[in-house]
Amino acid sequence: EFTYVFTTGGIGPTHDDITAECVAQAFGVPLEQNAEAVERLKRSGRPLNEARLKMARVPRGAELIDNPISNAPGFRFENVFVLPGIPSIARAMFASAVPMLAPGAPILSASVDAFLREGDFADALTKIQHDYPTVEIGSYPFNRDGKIGATLVARGTNRALLTKVVEEIVAGIAAIGGESHRP
C-alpha cells in the first residue's frame, strides 16, 4: 500500500527483538544469518556471542543499511526499512538509507503576497485548495511597513498547475478588492 515503510526498534540482541523475524514472515522468506552483517559486527571488537549474532539475522535477500555508530546493521527488504530504536543511531542510519530511496519529482513553489487580512480571503483560498488537491497552499501572515497581509505559497510538482493556482489566487484577491504582488 505504501511507497516506503520505516520501522525503528526490535533488531537488537534480546529475546523480545523480533522485527527481523516478523518482516521475513510478512514477505514469506526465510530469516538467515548474513555473512556481511557478521563481518560488520566483528568490527566493534566485542566477542560475537549468540545474542550479538542475532543482529546479523535478516530476511534472505535483504540489503544491509550501514550503521556508522555501532556497526550492527539495519536492513531494507523491498520497501521496508528496518532501523534500531536508539534515536541517535537510527538518525545516523537513516542518512545511510537515503541513497536507497527513489527520488520523487521535485517540489516546485510559487508565491503571491496578498495585502488583505487572512480572514478576508480564507473562503476563496479554501475553494481553490479544494479544486486543486494535488497542490499544497500555505498562508503566512505578515506586517510589512505598516501593511497587513499574507504570503500565499503554492507547492506541487506540476509547474503549469502551480501557475494556474497562482492565477486563481490573484483573481480571487482582485475579486474582493484586494491588492496582490508576485515576488
Side-chain angles (χ1 to χ4, degrees):
E1 254 185 77
F2 301 97
T3 304
Y4 296 111
V5 174
F6 291 85
T7 72
T8 56
I11 59 172
T14 60
H15 73 283
D16 60 340
D17 290 316
I18 61 170
T19 303
E21 293 165 276
C22 293
V23 171
Q25 183 178 8
F27 284 97
V29 298
L31 188 68
E32 60 187 18
Q33 192 170 79
N34 179 288
E36 175 59 27
V38 172
E39 288 305 312
R40 292 180 188 197
L41 288 170
K42 286 179 182 177
R43 292 180 200 155
S44 71
R46 291 187 295 245
L48 292 183
N49 59 23
E50 282 305 310
R52 288 194 46 77
L53 283 172
K54 181 179 179 188
M55 295 187 293
R57 292 175 50 89
V58 299
R60 180 182 290 158
E63 181 178 359
L64 298 181
I65 299 173
D66 189 44
N67 178 342
I69 296 178
S70 70
N71 296 318
F75 64 89
R76 170 191 181 183
F77 192 86
E78 294 189 19
N79 66 326
V80 178
F81 289 75
V82 179
L83 304 172
I86 300 170
S88 60
I89 298 175
R91 190 172 20 262
M93 289 177 69
F94 182 77
S96 298
V98 167
M100 297 176 181
L101 303 173
I107 303 295
L108 308 170
S109 68
S111 63
V112 176
D113 287 341
F115 295 95
L116 294 167
R117 295 180 187 277
E118 285 182 299
D120 296 340
F121 57 79
D123 288 342
L125 204 57
T126 298
K127 181 189 178 312
I128 294 168
Q129 180 66 84
H130 181 267
D131 291 345
Y132 300 95
T134 62
V135 174
E136 294 178 7
I137 303 171
S139 178
Y140 307 96
F142 62 75
N143 184 344
R144 289 189 208 135
D145 301 321
K147 286 187 170 185
I148 293 175
T151 300
L152 307 174
V153 180
R155 291 182 183 90
T157 58
N158 181 316
R159 176 63 68 194
L161 194 57
L162 283 179
T163 299
K164 186 172 177 138
V165 167
V166 168
E167 288 170 359
E168 287 197 27
I169 290 171
V170 169
I173 292 167
I176 57 174
E179 176 189 339
S180 65
H181 169 68
R182 295 183 200 189

